[in-house]
Amino acid sequence: MIDPNPAEAAALIRAGKLVAFPTETVYGLGANALDPVAVAGIFALKQRPAFDPLIVHVASFQDIPPLTAEAPDGCVAVLAARFWPGPLTIVLRKSHLVPDIVTAGLPTVGIRIPSHPLALDLIRESGCPIAAPSANRFGWLSPTTAAHVRKQLPGVDMVLDGGPCPVGVESTVVAFTGEGSLRVLRPGGVTVEQLREALPRTEVLLDAGHSLPASPGLLESHYAPAKPLHILESMPDRLPEGSGLITHVPGRQRQDAARNFCTAPSGRLVETAAHLFTALHVMEDDPSVRRIFIEPVAEVGLGVAIMDRVTRAAFRWRS
Ligand code: TXA
Ligand code: MG
């Protein structure tokens, strides 16, 4: 790991360049959120369709009012106090300051305060909000190390290397409905149970789809490795030759697998979340692995976000 230099990275952001940086969830591909030309560079480098809005990252709650057309109400303040800095994105009505390209023309903007110290340093030193999607090519595996970023986006101006991301799955994206309910648009690092506990009088709805307003069908495939991935409903007697096996409790590795990866040395869901994308990258990179098998986890707590990613990652390979 090269010594990260947030001051140099911030100078690049101010100059309209793209910087990949660590957050507690995954690496982001950042640009000055108030510079539409710089933001256009994100869409080009990621090959991301223009209909998919970006999250705007800020360093403190005071940075938010200029970006929104509504004064954050009591429920937003409760969520902010409980989960920020951290893996939660709140969708609010945007102000004119936020360029349309950032929000893909939507009247709303997703905002989050990340907790990774290097992300916060970068935002503060840049002196502007930073628009950042995950630093991968659109539709492919999310990056949780600097090496993952360089593999997919060799053209990025700089990668700020902060080591592996501790949470490992993206932020939970939420929006308040007109009726005062809270809709979870994308499950993530903050669980539905935690949201319900923070807002006991608010109805919390878990969207079956994804956060994208358009073309949900297209996004049934997302986070995909470049090799066939199958979810194992039960462990077969024999694995096909060239199998990579991803398990989530110790002691389930198999002799007949070309490569084994256990995401959770002590069997905890937080470990599986933290190592999920790394496991998939390892299998993608290993030439002895021709197809990947992954065990499912129970869909409770972080398991909802984990299975959301696994299901989408396997979608294009379903038979
Ligand atoms: O953890 C994360 O959220 C990471 C790190 C880098 O912060 N970022 C990330 O960005 O995952 P991205 O672009 O890969 O995913 C952002 C998701 C997309 O599904 C997008 O549709 C949704 O957030 N989103 C952003 N703004 C939105 C808006 N105004 N309304 C609805 N959904 C929105
Ligand atoms: Mg992404």
Side-chain angles (χ1 to χ4, degrees):
M1 189 168 110
I2 309 157
D3 237 4
N5 186 340
E8 189 191 334
L12 288 171
I13 293 282
R14 284 195 299 274
K17 306 281 191 206
L18 305 184
V19 172
F21 63 99
T23 79
E24 71 281 18
T25 59
V26 300
Y27 275 72
L29 178 63
N32 178 353
L34 306 182
D35 176 348
V37 177
V39 171
I42 294 179
F43 284 88
L45 188 65
K46 268 196 71 124
Q47 298 168 27
R48 180 178 176 110
F51 61 73
D52 194 0
L54 304 180
I55 294 171
V56 173
H57 299 71
V58 296
S60 82
F61 200 70
Q62 288 85 278
D63 300 337
I64 296 175
L67 305 174
T68 60
E70 55 190 325
D73 75 358
C75 289
V76 173
V78 169
L79 292 182
R82 172 83 169 71
F83 300 110
W84 278 346
L88 182 72
T89 296
I90 306 179
V91 173
L92 298 166
R93 282 205 299 128
K94 83 173 192 75
S95 75
H96 292 301
L97 202 59
V98 181
D100 286 327
I101 186 171
V102 171
T103 65
L106 291 175
T108 54
V109 58
I111 295 184
R112 123 170 162 89
I113 304 180
S115 66
H116 198 293
L118 273 177
L120 291 170
D121 279 354
L122 176 66
I123 300 164
R124 287 196 195 101
E125 293 237 15
S126 301
C128 60
I130 294 186
S134 49
N136 54 325
R137 279 196 303 134
F138 183 76
W140 298 91
L141 280 181
S142 300
T144 53
T145 67
H148 297 162
V149 177
R150 292 195 194 95
K151 180 168 89 169
Q152 287 192 27
L153 302 177
V156 64
D157 294 305
M158 181 178 174
V159 184
L160 200 56
D161 190 345
C165 302
V167 175
V169 290
E170 290 86 344
S171 64
T172 302
V173 181
V174 297
F176 285 95
T177 66
E179 295 76 48
S181 307
L182 186 71
R183 190 171 283 280
V184 177
L185 302 173
R186 176 179 70 181
V190 169
T191 66
V192 174
E193 292 86 342
Q194 288 174 309
L195 292 169
R196 291 197 171 121
E197 191 190 297
L199 294 175
R201 280 190 293 281
T202 302
E203 188 184 20
V204 179
L205 310 163
L206 182 57
D207 229 6
H210 213 297
S211 54
L212 273 171
S215 311
L218 200 113
L219 286 141
E220 285 172 28
S221 175
H222 214 65
Y223 315 104
K227 290 177 184 174
L229 171 69
H230 307 285
I231 303 170
L232 277 178
E233 293 313 332
S234 61
M235 193 60 93
D237 292 336
R238 277 191 50 202
L239 289 167
E241 220 181 292
S243 294
L245 178 64
I246 302 174
T247 55
H248 315 297
V249 271
R252 292 181 64 82
Q253 60 269 36
R254 294 266 300 236
Q255 291 287 339
D256 55 348
R259 180 87 184 240
N260 283 282
F261 193 110
C262 176
T263 58
S266 49
R268 288 157 50 225
L269 270 186
V270 284
E271 295 176 303
T272 293
H275 303 137
L276 175 69
F277 284 121
T278 287
L280 291 166
H281 277 283
V282 163
M283 296 301 178
E284 187 178 75
D285 296 345
D286 186 333
S288 72
V289 172
R290 289 205 298 276
R291 59 181 62 241
I292 311 165
F293 293 94
I294 186 166
E295 291 195 303
V297 298
E299 292 193 48
V300 286
L302 266 181
V304 176
I306 292 166
M307 286 312 291
D308 172 80
R309 306 306 187 268
V310 169
T311 307
R312 285 171 213 279
F315 185 82
R316 80 175 60 180
W317 307 114
R318 76 203 183 289
S319 46

